[in-house]
Amino acid sequence: MRQNESLVANVDWALFAVYMLMLIFGVATVYSTAYNEDHPNLFDFSQKYGKQMIWLFVSLFLGLMVFLIDSDIYRKFCVPIYLFTLVLLVIVLFMPPVNGARAWLGIGTMGIQPAEFAKIGTGLLLARFISDVNVKQQTSQTVLLANAIILVPMTLILLQPDAGTFVVFTSFLFVMYREGITYDPLILKLVNAIPGVKFKQTWVGSHFIPILFVVVFLSLVTLLMSNEKISFGFLPGVIFSGFWSVMISLTIFAIFLSLVSRLIASKRERNRASLIILIAYILATLLAAIVNYGFQGLAEHQKDRIELFLGLKEDPDGEDYNRNRAMAAVGSGGMLGKGYNNASVASVESNHVPESETDFIFCPFAEEWGFVGVLLLVGLYMFMLLRIIMIAERQRSTFNRVYAYVVAMILFYHFAINIGMNIGFAPVIGIPLPFFSYGGSSMMSFSMMMFILLKLDSQRRDILN
Amino acid sequence: MNFDSRKYVLITLFILVGIIYTLRIFYMQVIDDSWHLRAQEIAEKRKEITPPRGVLFDRNGKKIVANRTYYNLMMVEDDMKNFDTVAFAELLGWQAWQVKKRFRDVREGEGTYYNKHTGKRTSNYQKIRAYPFIKEMTLEEIARIAPHLENFPGFYEEVTSMRSYPFANGANIVGYLSEVNREEVEEDHFYKPGNNIGRAGLERFYESELRGRKGIKYIVTSALNNAIESYAGGKYDTSALQGPPLKLGVDIILQAYGEKLLQGKRGCIVAIEPSTGEILSLVSAPSYDPNLLIGKRNISSNYPKLVLDQSKPLYPRPLAAEYPPGSTFKLLNSLIGLQEGVITPESGFPCNKSMVGCHDHTSAGNLADAIKHSCNPYFYAVTRRILQQGKKKNIYADAEVGLGLWAKYMHSFGLGSKLETDITGLRSGLIPDPAYYDKWYGHHRWAFSTIRSISIGQGEVMLTPLHLANIAALIANRGWYITPHFVKSIGKSGPDSLYRKKHFTMVDRKHYGIVIEGMRRVVHVSGGTGKRAKLKDIIVCGKTGTVQNPHGEDHSVFIAFAPMYQPKIAIAVFIENAKGGGGLWAAPTAGLMIEKYLTRKITEKEREKTILEAKFTYRE
């Protein structure tokens, strides 16, 4: 009895409220998008919104189950759970393909996607692994094992193939970075192989993951911009080549960073910060130049292939059909939107935006609610993400903290990529918008992820280490 | 080592992405409207309903320009199934190759346009869109085909409205319609390819009134181009509104009669109601039946013929043809002379044929008789007195001052510039001023003797028949005129304030009496040059003119108004290459027109017969 009381008292109700709010918005959007005049009932199970309601209740039921089980089992049984999701990922490869990918387990539309649940399994195991590691005494084995935990499910997912979820798995790298998993042992082995060099520690090694991401991101941006002409809105009539736009943006960013660092850093740190920014700036421009001129050397059809691969080739009615339609839907929303159930571009019935109830659910939402709705949605997500980080930081146990970061990073990835592909900022790789998109697997997996977090958090005081 | 500060890397990343996305979406949704347009292009179909054009009535309420329903046979390529070319050709009464050719034309022609940005002709033909396969079919034509169209999915009929002209007259007044071209579509968003626009006459001048207001229905369409629902519950839809009817001052009966009188001849008749400036008729001969230019099919077969016709039936002569006015001009020189005080009604000048020829008559002892005889030497003398008033010692400088004054008078009669008549195609004519002659002869190199032919309306002076009729009207009004115009009212409003304003001439009212008396003598006193315009119960005041034509026979001119007191009609008749002077052909024509208008009867049957039978030959 007492335990139950404390359970209720210790639940983070703010996070739970945002979660519930998002579910309600999500179902409302699915209802509006897939609305069928002949079946107006929300609980008409022949319709997508009816099915979504089933998934919603199943998810809440699963959540209740999670709450009734002692949170210790996630820590204890994380290896079997991880292995179970791996087995599912293997089995799914022998299923008949749906839309070109062997991602579905089950019959017809009522199947589940093991890849969604693999995120939880991987997240739990990674949390367990990191909580067992003494971060002060890392070896090459540590970082290799940590990477192996991620890479095995990633490989299986790539075999389906499911590029979206594959990319989402890289979010674990950021969690590893936060927890101090370092690539230094590997980097040192390489560097110290050079005769006469004897480093104990490298900056690149300890910050390997963000550096890797910056390099990849900057290379991609430079690649995409290399044959575009960009005009800056604030300078009428002035048009820069894409490469120079990247250079200018880098310069502005560097100046901005050094100003910020002057404001927040102590006197002693200022010079060091300025030096780091200067070196980073030089390296970044160098990288951009190499990518730009390397890319220009490529033949025209190779360029096209890269752009098509990234899903960023401008061709309104061809390769880039989805994104162009999606952007038209979002952009036509205006300040206040077209009103609930009034999406003209993104409704399922009009079918201009394919998958508008699943991967492109942001389109009908933005079209119907306008910028005001978007502000609310982005605000909810920001609140949720920052709240989870807050929860993470208040955990006594490393396991709980790592798991909380896993949840935050996965949600952030989905948010950034899903909305990014609706507004032309990310390639079109099909991943759902958590709690909004139609689909049982994503709703169940995200709900379970959320309830496990809430449960772990509610029992944070019971754990001593 | 403590890694807690690394949480800020993640927090910064989250917040940065949140802010950048918000700004980006704000830009897309609120600032940049190109996505909005793209969305409209994708999902909203703007269905336009073109209303029938406003109709035109004559002064007696007779409908002279009406609308009639026609049908377009539309095709949607995507909806065609198992299309049987041979059977379809049979249904239309065509050959199979014609059907195939028409398909090719639609595919290549209907959807293509000149893209300004790329400089290329671009095709936006879409298989899902409807295009007219055959345009403008009559009810009889479509009725034969329509019942069988169900065998040819992808084809359907669409109602469209086109002009019809119950009277085959007044083509040069009303003008005609034809399809807009690409520039017009780009210039004015009212028009869509395939819409009609007024090309000439009143149809063109009153285009913005006649076209009415288009109805617009916004429909949400699916990716397959099916209409789903009306956009925003029809909130932005507007209903079509037909253009208001135009009531004209034209008397279609008189117009038709005028056209009949001028058959087989080239020339013009312009009749104006002096008190209002309303144009009663504006005959341009030869003319054409406006029904020949209804719709694309008619235009493509008849327009080239009309354009190539040597007698220029499309040319609105009363508005655009510039002729010397001949002796009718003497009336104006008389008025100026009286106003300037250089002559009096009793002034007499001998008929001295040393400077200019004249016909045989006794020398005129007063102005009225001089007008009656149209004495050339008399008006030389009058005009010399106007131009050479002796205000300057140097005769060249004196002539310069005199001509400057004379030109001012002429401008006050509405000459030398375009009248503000509500129609397109007007020409300004020419009233020479000192600058004009300086250009030809040099400064101070000319005097009255150099330019004397302007005294009798020859030489450089050029007027349009509309100007001529306006002269008759302003004399009838004794010193003022209202700009001649066609439209009395648009819907319930009108006439325009422009057509209520009296323009006063520089000649005082008191001087008109004697000139009008002279005009009465022209018609009603024996020896008058215009006696063939005489009517039994109506006093006609007129003036003949014979315009020397270096290319052939003289032109026959007559201007007149009637009755003498409270005039109801002012008229100008101009017949080209008529053998014989103004008195022989133009005067009787004017007389018949006046009688027709005032009494609706023709008493002088013999005179009418002569005019109707007259044919003049023209050198091309």
Side-chain angles (χ1 to χ4, degrees):
Chain A
M1 228 22 229
R2 219 190 137 269
Q3 204 191 356
N4 270 351
E5 261 177 34
S6 72
L7 186 76
V8 171
N10 285 322
V11 165
D12 192 277
W13 290 109
L15 182 60
F16 181 74
V18 179
Y19 160 75
M20 284 308 294
L21 213 57
M22 283 200 188
L23 282 189
I24 292 165
F25 273 123
V27 169
T29 311
V30 170
Y31 180 70
S32 154
T33 307
Y35 181 73
N36 184 331
E37 270 176 15
D38 303 331
H39 304 270
N41 191 344
L42 177 62
F43 294 94
D44 188 323
F45 302 128
S46 67
Q47 298 302 309
K48 288 196 166 155
Y49 31 90
K51 285 178 190 152
Q52 185 76 342
M53 287 309 288
I54 298 178
W55 295 126
L56 194 146
F57 286 114
V58 169
S59 298
L60 291 177
F61 176 75
L62 284 175
L64 191 65
M65 291 288 108
V66 166
F67 251 83
L68 293 177
I69 301 167
D70 188 78
S71 66
D72 216 27
I73 76 147
Y74 304 115
R75 192 182 154 78
K76 280 181 183 153
F77 293 99
C78 61
V79 176
I81 294 172
Y82 176 75
L83 290 176
F84 175 68
T85 54
L86 282 193
V87 169
L88 289 183
L89 282 178
V90 173
I91 292 172
V92 85
L93 293 177
F94 298 96
M95 291 291 136
V98 177
N99 294 334
R102 298 172 196 275
W104 292 87
L105 203 59
I107 319 118
T109 51
M110 295 304 268
I112 57 156
Q113 292 167 285
E116 294 292 334
F117 297 95
K119 289 173 204 161
I120 303 176
T122 311
L124 288 171
L125 186 64
L126 191 68
R128 170 72 190 267
F129 176 78
I130 291 173
S131 69
D132 288 349
V133 166
N134 183 348
V135 288
K136 281 168 190 154
Q137 294 172 350
Q138 291 183 50
T139 59
S140 318
Q141 213 186 348
T142 318
V143 63
L144 287 176
L145 265 175
N147 277 293
I149 291 170
I150 307 167
L151 277 172
V152 173
M154 273 174 95
T155 312
L156 291 169
I157 287 164
L158 198 60
L159 288 173
Q160 294 184 355
D162 178 354
T165 313
F166 175 83
V167 171
V168 169
F169 267 69
T170 62
S171 65
F172 292 119
L173 294 175
F174 281 96
V175 179
M176 284 158 58
Y177 172 70
R178 160 65 188 89
E179 291 304 321
I181 299 294
T182 174
Y183 283 71
D184 231 14
L186 297 175
I187 302 285
L188 284 175
K189 265 183 192 165
L190 273 174
V191 175
N192 290 343
I194 303 164
V197 180
K198 191 79 186 154
F199 280 115
K200 276 193 174 158
Q201 182 193 346
T202 60
W203 192 80
V204 173
S206 56
H207 295 281
F208 183 74
I209 289 158
I211 290 170
L212 177 74
F213 271 82
V214 168
V215 167
V216 171
F217 182 75
L218 186 62
S219 307
L220 282 182
V221 169
T222 315
L223 262 177
L224 295 172
M225 301 281 265
S226 75
N227 52 1
E228 304 269 329
K229 290 267 183 284
I230 308 288
S231 68
F232 281 100
F234 51 87
L235 286 176
V238 181
I239 292 174
F240 294 98
S241 73
F243 172 64
W244 285 106
S245 307
V246 171
M247 289 306 215
I248 291 165
S249 308
L250 277 175
T251 311
I252 292 170
F253 190 60
I255 293 168
F256 172 77
L257 272 187
S258 51
L259 287 176
V260 170
S261 71
R262 282 197 170 262
L263 280 175
I264 57 172
S266 68
K267 253 187 191 164
R268 203 163 55 83
E269 285 174 328
R270 264 184 209 167
N271 288 337
R272 195 167 152 255
S274 300
L275 189 69
I276 292 173
I277 291 166
L278 184 68
I279 292 170
Y281 174 68
I282 291 168
L283 290 175
T285 48
L286 219 64
L287 173 70
I290 291 166
V291 171
N292 183 58
Y293 292 108
F295 188 64
Q296 278 190 353
L298 293 178
E300 197 60 41
H301 73 275
Q302 283 170 312
K303 277 187 197 177
D304 285 350
R305 281 175 111 177
I306 290 171
E307 285 180 339
L308 282 177
F309 173 73
L310 293 168
L312 286 169
K313 199 168 156 59
E314 274 293 331
D315 180 6
D317 287 322
E319 308 288 347
D320 204 24
Y321 180 92
N322 292 8
R323 213 165 54 106
N324 185 278
R325 299 283 151 122
M327 288 172 77
V330 172
S332 66
M335 185 52 119
L336 297 173
K338 297 177 184 172
Y340 186 63
N341 215 346
N342 265 336
S344 55
V345 181
S347 74
V348 167
E349 193 181 14
S350 72
N351 202 25
H352 291 294
V353 180
E355 301 291 326
S356 62
E357 77 282 18
T358 58
D359 294 344
F360 283 102
I361 190 91
F362 181 71
C363 285
F365 181 84
E367 193 182 353
E368 292 182 353
W369 296 101
F371 182 67
V372 171
V374 168
L375 211 56
L376 182 72
L377 186 142
V378 173
L380 282 177
Y381 263 103
M382 284 296 120
F383 179 85
M384 180 180 260
L385 292 172
L386 296 178
R387 184 81 196 171
I388 294 173
I389 288 190
M390 201 201 88
I391 290 171
E393 291 296 332
R394 76 185 178 198
Q395 302 302 316
R396 291 181 198 175
S397 106
T398 311
F399 176 81
N400 286 8
R401 188 181 65 230
V402 177
Y403 178 75
Y405 269 111
V406 164
V407 175
M409 277 316 300
I410 288 177
L411 286 175
F412 170 71
Y413 255 62
H414 275 264
F415 165 80
I417 294 175
N418 184 286
I419 294 185
M421 72 190 195
N422 280 283
I423 60 177
F425 272 13
V428 179
I429 48 173
I431 60 169
L433 185 63
F435 317 118
F436 277 81
S437 289
Y438 168 79
S441 300
S442 71
M443 179 172 275
M444 286 191 294
S445 70
F446 283 117
S447 293
M448 281 175 70
M449 213 182 266
M450 191 58 72
F451 278 108
I452 291 173
L453 174 66
L454 286 167
K455 175 71 179 176
L456 287 174
D457 179 55
S458 70
Q459 290 187 323
R460 64 185 182 272
R461 287 173 220 276
D462 302 347
I463 299 157
L464 293 172
N465 56 335
Chain B
M1 216 196 240
N2 190 352
F3 301 107
D4 275 359
S5 62
R6 286 190 176 178
K7 72 180 178 197
Y8 292 115
V9 175
L10 303 188
I11 291 173
T12 313
L13 183 66
F14 292 180
I15 293 177
L16 209 65
V17 168
I19 290 172
I20 291 171
Y21 277 22
T22 307
L23 292 176
R24 164 71 170 172
I25 296 169
F26 182 76
Y27 179 77
M28 279 173 71
Q29 292 192 313
V30 182
I31 297 172
D32 184 9
D33 61 353
S34 64
W35 290 110
H36 198 88
L37 297 174
R38 177 79 183 124
Q40 284 182 342
E41 207 176 288
I42 291 169
E44 290 162 26
K45 204 151 124 191
R46 218 166 147 270
K47 201 174 172 204
E48 290 188 345
I49 302 136
T50 311
R53 285 173 77 89
V55 296
L56 275 62
F57 294 98
D58 90 335
R59 67 186 296 112
N60 299 314
K62 291 197 169 70
K63 201 186 267 187
I64 56 176
V65 180
N67 292 312
R68 203 176 139 184
T69 304
Y70 285 80
Y71 301 84
N72 289 340
L73 182 62
M74 308 296 287
M75 57 163 267
V76 179
E77 189 172 345
D78 241 17
D79 295 344
M80 291 182 197
K81 285 183 199 91
N82 310 321
F83 182 67
D84 184 346
T85 312
V86 177
F88 192 64
E90 207 169 289
L91 177 64
L92 298 181
W94 290 11
Q95 300 293 321
W97 64 265
Q98 287 173 306
V99 171
K100 282 181 191 147
K101 181 175 180 300
R102 179 62 195 148
F103 265 124
R104 207 170 49 239
D105 289 350
V106 170
R107 284 199 200 100
E108 289 165 9
E110 293 288 344
T112 60
Y113 64 93
Y114 177 78
N115 188 325
K116 256 200 298 201
H117 307 293
T118 61
K120 284 180 199 154
R121 280 190 71 77
T122 309
S123 171
N124 62 359
Y125 176 83
Q126 288 185 346
K127 288 184 175 182
I128 52 168
R129 292 237 169 104
Y131 295 94
F133 189 77
I134 305 176
K135 279 188 175 178
E136 297 150 6
M137 305 175 87
T138 61
L139 181 61
E140 298 79 57
E141 286 173 303
I142 197 77
R144 202 169 49 77
I145 295 171
H148 306 287
L149 281 180
E150 62 186 61
N151 302 327
F152 300 96
F155 286 90
Y156 64 95
E157 71 266 31
E158 190 186 76
V159 176
T160 162
S161 167
M162 288 203 304
R163 284 304 203 199
S164 82
Y165 305 95
F167 299 86
N169 308 105
N172 282 304
I173 299 173
V174 297
Y176 61 97
L177 304 175
S178 76
E179 265 185 33
V180 285
N181 55 39
R182 193 74 205 172
E183 288 81 62
E184 284 158 340
V185 172
E186 273 159 21
E187 219 168 82
D188 187 339
H189 294 298
F190 181 90
Y191 301 105
K192 294 281 167 293
N195 283 170
N196 282 328
I197 189 170
R199 275 283 169 243
L202 298 179
E203 293 275 26
R204 178 164 164 195
F205 193 89
Y206 286 101
E207 171 66 18
S208 56
E209 284 83 9
L210 290 171
R211 68 190 188 181
R213 193 183 73 194
K214 274 188 178 175
I216 296 162
K217 257 176 101 82
Y218 292 94
I219 299 169
V220 178
T221 54
S222 75
L224 298 171
N225 208 35
N226 300 318
I228 295 176
E229 57 189 0
S230 73
Y231 177 72
K235 194 163 60 170
Y236 304 107
D237 294 0
T238 52
S239 55
L241 200 68
Q242 184 176 11
L246 300 191
K247 178 141 188 177
L248 308 187
V250 169
D251 179 1
I252 195 67
I253 303 285
L254 185 68
Q255 176 74 22
Y257 186 63
E259 287 180 22
K260 194 171 137 192
L261 288 178
L262 289 196
Q263 66 189 18
K265 307 168 204 50
R266 290 185 193 179
C268 322
I269 304 172
V270 181
I272 298 172
E273 183 175 65
S275 59
T276 59
E278 288 162 13
I279 296 171
L280 300 170
S281 75
L282 185 110
V283 179
S284 181
S287 186
Y288 63 95
D289 181 350
N291 291 297
L292 290 177
L293 294 183
I294 298 173
K296 203 175 183 176
R297 282 198 289 166
N298 276 322
I299 288 176
S300 58
S301 66
N302 294 326
Y303 187 77
K305 284 183 219 158
L306 292 172
V307 167
L308 294 175
D309 190 332
Q310 296 282 355
S311 64
K312 295 196 208 161
L314 289 171
Y315 182 55
R317 290 161 197 268
L319 311 170
E322 292 166 316
Y323 305 101
S327 300
T328 56
F329 209 55
K330 292 170 183 167
L331 299 173
L332 300 183
N333 282 332
S334 310
L335 288 168
I336 298 170
L338 290 167
Q339 179 71 24
E340 281 297 302
V342 296
I343 56 164
T344 67
E346 274 66 51
S347 297
F349 298 100
C351 183
N352 175 354
K353 297 189 180 92
S354 64
M355 254 167 85
V356 62
C358 198
H359 51 98
D360 291 322
H361 62 85
T362 53
S363 284
N366 59 55
L367 179 59
D369 277 341
I371 292 171
K372 181 184 96 175
H373 292 304
S374 194
C375 177
N376 287 342
Y378 186 98
F379 287 98
Y380 264 45
V382 171
T383 310
R384 179 199 292 277
R385 286 199 178 181
I386 296 169
L387 296 191
Q388 309 277 190
Q389 292 194 26
K391 286 174 185 165
K392 298 251 172 165
K393 279 214 174 110
N394 180 323
I395 82 151
Y396 298 110
D398 194 37
E400 186 181 3
V401 173
L403 185 73
L405 184 67
W406 178 85
K408 246 190 224 168
Y409 273 102
M410 287 302 173
H411 292 147
S412 84
F413 296 131
L415 309 181
S417 61
K418 284 180 196 173
L419 287 162
E420 288 173 292
T421 300
D422 50 351
I423 199 158
T424 54
L426 292 161
R427 298 286 294 262
S428 57
L430 179 73
I431 294 297
D433 58 4
Y436 180 85
Y437 286 121
D438 282 353
K439 215 179 342 174
W440 280 105
Y441 301 109
H443 190 55
H444 285 186
R445 302 283 295 276
W446 52 270
F448 171 72
S449 53
T450 328
I451 60 171
R452 62 196 177 204
S453 30
I454 62 171
S455 321
I456 56 165
Q458 293 285 164
E460 292 76 20
V461 176
M462 289 287 185
L463 303 184
T464 66
L466 183 65
H467 283 124
L468 270 177
N470 196 38
I471 292 171
L474 73 88
I475 296 173
N477 288 333
R478 289 150 175 90
W480 57 268
Y481 69 94
I482 291 175
T483 303
H485 57 278
F486 289 98
V487 171
K488 281 164 77 126
S489 61
I490 301 169
K492 284 181 179 130
S493 68
D496 195 290
S497 62
L498 181 65
Y499 303 132
R500 287 196 300 252
K501 189 179 159 226
K502 286 182 183 177
H503 298 268
F504 285 92
T505 65
M506 284 165 64
V507 178
D508 294 342
R509 186 177 175 85
K510 62 183 180 199
H511 298 303
Y512 281 88
I514 188 65
V515 171
I516 290 170
E517 170 56 21
M519 290 171 78
R520 187 190 67 83
R521 290 184 195 177
V522 167
V523 180
H524 292 278
V525 172
S526 70
T529 52
K531 57 183 183 293
R532 284 188 177 83
K534 189 171 162 183
L535 297 172
K536 216 164 72 186
D537 301 321
I538 303 160
I539 303 175
V540 177
C541 302
K543 179 71 193 79
T544 54
T546 306
V547 177
Q548 290 159 22
N549 176 12
H551 307 294
E553 304 284 350
D554 291 347
H555 302 315
S556 173
V557 194
F558 192 71
I559 69 170
F561 65 86
M564 185 171 178
Y565 301 102
Q566 287 165 338
K568 289 271 177 282
I569 177 170
I571 192 165
V573 178
F574 201 108
I575 299 175
E576 288 182 27
N577 293 32
K579 258 184 224 127
L584 204 54
W585 300 107
T589 306
L592 290 166
M593 287 290 282
I594 290 168
E595 191 180 25
K596 184 76 178 177
Y597 178 66
L598 294 177
T599 69
R600 283 283 189 264
K601 286 197 299 266
I602 295 300
T603 47
E604 299 281 352
K605 290 286 178 198
E606 219 26 63
R607 205 186 272 171
E608 183 186 39
K609 195 171 163 245
T610 314
I611 298 293
L612 286 175
E613 284 170 358
K615 300 259 187 297
F616 301 114
T617 50
Y618 302 92
R619 263 188 282 157
E620 301 301 348

